[in-house]
Amino acid sequence: MSLTAELKEYAVKQGVDLIGVTSAKAFEVDGMGKPLMDPRAYLENAKSIVVFGYYFGDQLTEPSRPDAPRGRLSPGLEAFSAMDEYCYQVIKEYLNERGYNAVKRERGQNIPLKPLAVKAGIGVYGKNSLVHADGFGFWIYLEGVITDAPLEAEDRPYKLSDCGDCIACIEACPTNAIKEPYKVMPSLCIAEWLDGAPIPRELRKKVGKRLTGCEICQEVCPKNQRLIPRRHYPVEIEEKSDSPELIPLLLGDENYYKTVLPNHVLEMDISTLRRNVALALGNIRDPMAVPALVQVLSYSEPKVRSYAAWALGRIGGRKAREALARSLNSEVDLEVQKEIKVALQLARGNVESQVLKRGSPGRSEGFLSRENSKGLKSDP
Ligand code: B12
Ligand code: SF4
Ligand code: SF4
C-alpha cells in the first residue's frame, strides 16, 4: 500500500472524515488565471499538502427560550477548535513517526483551502462558491497540513458541482452577494460584515440575529438536505449554546464570554462582537433590551456606541428616544453623532420610509467612514 493510502486509511480510522493529498507545487488559485500561490513559501522542501475536512452536521441545537432575546452562532463552531487540532495531530504524528515534517497552515496564511480541497479530491465547488462532499453536503470545515513527505498527490482538475439549472443559493442570498455562479462578493456577504467589516445601514436588517457567519446559501441547497446530523466526535467538544442570550453578552466582559462562547468565537475582536450583539438586539426589537443598550451608549468603543444607537432607533419608544437625545449632547465622536441623529429619526419613524422610497443607496452612504478608514475589510 502507498504511503498516501496508508495515511488516509489510518486517519479515517481515527475519525478524520475527509482527507486528500495534493502536491505542494505553485498553482493558479482558481484555474482561471488568478494569482499563483506557492505552498513551499511556508515549509522549505514542501512536497505535498494533506487537506482534511470534518463534518459538523446540520445541528442547530437549543430552541430559543421565549423569555430572553438570543443571538445565533454559526453551526459547528463549538467543534471547530477541538476538531481542527485533533485532525491535525493525527496527521502530523503519523508523518513525524515516519521521519517527515508536517506543519499546519497558520490562520491568516494565504493558502486557499477550497481549491486545494478540490485538487485533493475531497469535494467539488457549488454555485454558492463553497465545497461540498458526498454524504456531508457543505457542512464541512477544511484545513491543510504542509509536509515534506513525498506523498502521491491526486492533483485533480477544478470541478464544478452538478448543480444543473438550480440557482437556489443565488436567489436565497438576502444581499445578492453571489454575483454570478461560484463568485461571492465579500463586501456584500453577511459573513464578512459580522467579521468586522462595515455594514451598510440600510442592509443591517438583513443580518437578523446572527452574531457570526451566515449559512443561508447552504441551508437552501438540496445537497444539504437529508444529511445525518453529527452526534459524536472523536474528541471532547465544548458544550456551548449556539444561541447565547444577548443582553448578558452585550454587558459582559471577557471572563463572561469565556463561559458562554466557543473558543473559536473568542478569537473575534470584542468590540466587533459587542457591535454584532447590539445589531441583533436592534433587529429583534425587544423593548426589554433598551436599558442595556442605553448603558452601552457610554462604552468606550465608538462602533459599539454607534450600533447601540441604531438598535435603540429600531426599537423606538419614549425611553429610547430620551436616551438618544441625551447622548447626542455628550457624544464627542462625529461618526457616532451622525448615527445617533439617524437613530433619532428612525425612532420617530420617518427614516425607513425615506429609504424605501429612495431605493438602495450608493455604496458609501450608510458606511461608517471611521471603519472604512481603519480598512477593516476592503473590497477585493
Ligand atoms: C476570506 C474568506 C471568506 C470571506 C470571502 C469568501 C469568498 N468567497 O471570497 C467571507 C468572510 C465572505 C467568507 C464567508 C464564508 N466562509 Co470563508 N473563508 C475565507 C478564507 C479565510 C480565505 C478564502 C480566500 O479568499 N481565498 C483566496 C481566494 C482567491 O481563493 P478561494 O477562496 O478558493 O476563492 C476562489 C476560488 O475558489 C475560485 N472559484 C470558486 N469556485 C470556482 C469554481 C471553479 C470551477 C473554478 C475554476 C474556480 C472557482 O474563485 C474564488 C475567487 O477567486 C477561507 C480559508 C482559506 N484559507 O481558504 C475561508 C473558507 C473558504 N470559508 C469557509 C466558510 C465555511 C465560510 C462561510 C460558510 C462562513 C459562515 N458560516 O458564514 C461563509 C460562506 C460565504 C460563501 N458563500 O462563500 C470555509 C469553506 C468550507 C467549504 N465547505 O467550502 C473555508 C475554507 C474556511 C475553513 N477553514 O473551512 N469567507
Ligand atoms: S453567506 Fe449569506 S450573505 Fe454570504 S453569500 Fe451566502 S447567503 Fe449570501
Ligand atoms: S443551491 Fe443549487 S445552485 Fe446552489 S450550490 Fe446548491 S445545488 Fe448548486
Side-chain angles (χ1 to χ4, degrees):
M1 206 192 275
S2 72
L3 186 58
T4 303
E6 273 179 26
L7 168 65
K8 282 184 177 179
E9 190 181 282
Y10 173 77
V12 169
K13 264 193 201 144
Q14 300 304 310
V16 178
D17 298 319
L18 289 159
I19 177 164
V21 175
T22 178
S23 71
K25 283 189 293 207
F27 68 102
E28 273 177 9
V29 165
D30 62 3
M32 296 188 290
K34 282 275 163 58
L36 275 177
M37 80 92 30
D38 190 354
R40 285 168 299 199
Y42 301 106
L43 177 72
E44 214 184 333
N45 293 328
K47 293 196 174 63
S48 325
I49 301 184
V50 182
V51 187
F52 66 82
Y54 53 89
Y55 174 62
F56 52 90
D58 186 8
Q59 45 168 28
L60 293 174
T61 49
E62 279 186 30
S64 293
R65 274 208 335 248
D67 59 339
R70 286 173 178 266
R72 181 193 192 281
L73 300 175
S74 298
L77 285 189
E78 71 289 351
F80 192 96
S81 304
M83 276 302 278
D84 213 41
E85 188 57 23
Y86 173 79
C87 297
Y88 166 54
Q89 289 300 336
V90 167
I91 293 162
K92 178 183 175 341
E93 280 168 21
Y94 183 91
L95 292 170
N96 286 169
E97 276 170 20
R98 281 150 190 81
Y100 300 111
N101 291 305
V103 293
K104 191 164 81 168
R105 174 196 76 102
E106 288 297 326
R107 232 165 274 139
Q109 269 177 352
N110 182 24
I111 296 188
L113 294 169
K114 287 183 288 176
L116 283 175
V118 174
K119 277 157 74 72
I122 279 185
V124 294
Y125 285 110
K127 286 182 189 170
N128 57 13
S129 107
L130 296 164
V131 169
H132 70 87
D134 287 346
F136 301 135
F138 289 91
W139 301 122
I140 48 171
Y141 283 123
L142 302 167
E143 197 42 85
V145 179
I146 310 165
T147 176
D148 50 15
L151 297 167
E152 298 77 10
E154 307 263 0
D155 283 339
R156 301 212 185 155
Y158 288 110
K159 197 171 165 221
L160 300 176
S161 167
D162 54 350
C163 294
D165 293 337
C166 177
I167 48 166
C169 52
I170 298 174
E171 287 186 331
C173 175
T175 57
N176 294 322
I178 311 178
K179 282 288 162 205
E180 54 181 279
Y182 313 104
K183 289 257 179 310
V184 167
M185 278 271 286
S187 61
L188 284 178
C189 180
I190 290 172
E192 173 92 349
W193 294 344
L194 291 176
D195 237 13
I199 309 178
R201 198 181 290 126
E202 306 72 29
L203 297 178
R204 288 179 194 166
K205 275 196 249 175
K206 310 261 185 195
V207 176
K209 58 180 184 174
R210 292 183 181 80
L211 302 177
T212 61
C214 164
E215 292 76 33
I216 295 169
C217 56
Q218 298 176 73
E219 285 161 356
V220 297
C221 179
K223 296 181 187 309
N224 266 359
Q225 311 309 316
R226 289 181 296 281
L227 296 171
I228 301 165
R230 176 131 205 182
R231 298 270 175 248
H232 304 288
Y233 288 91
V235 66
E236 203 176 320
I237 297 299
E238 297 179 89
E239 280 190 29
K240 299 274 171 71
S241 166
D242 57 12
S243 51
E245 278 190 42
L246 290 170
I247 295 174
L249 217 49
L250 186 67
L251 301 176
D253 60 10
E254 281 178 63
N255 288 330
Y256 175 71
Y257 297 155
K258 279 183 197 152
T259 64
V260 292
L261 296 174
N263 281 328
H264 190 60
V265 180
L266 294 173
E267 289 176 17
M268 191 191 268
D269 159 54
I270 285 190
S271 58
T272 298
L273 175 69
R274 287 196 181 124
R275 179 202 73 163
N276 295 353
V277 173
L279 181 66
L281 284 167
N283 283 331
I284 293 172
R285 301 181 85 177
D286 186 337
M288 186 196 270
V290 168
L293 287 163
V294 170
Q295 199 174 322
V296 166
L297 284 179
S298 60
Y299 274 28
S300 60
E301 305 126 305
K303 77 175 169 188
V304 178
R305 299 202 296 280
S306 285
Y307 279 71
W310 178 83
L312 285 166
R314 287 269 288 148
I315 298 171
R318 187 177 53 82
K319 284 189 179 151
R321 282 197 305 272
E322 285 173 2
L324 284 167
R326 270 195 313 274
S327 69
L328 188 57
N329 289 331
S330 55
E331 180 58 61
V332 288
D333 186 294
L334 289 179
E335 288 302 328
V336 185
Q337 281 178 10
K338 217 188 286 175
E339 282 287 345
I340 296 172
K341 283 179 191 158
V342 175
L344 271 167
Q345 283 180 290
L346 202 58
R348 290 176 195 130
N350 56 8
V351 156
E352 281 182 279
S353 50
Q354 283 173 19
V355 169
L356 282 176
K357 269 187 225 146
R358 216 172 45 218
S360 187
R363 268 198 49 97
S364 62
E365 200 176 345
F367 274 63
L368 295 176
S369 58
R370 186 189 155 272
E371 287 182 317
N372 275 340
S373 68
K374 241 182 113 187
L376 278 168
K377 293 270 158 125
S378 54
D379 290 354

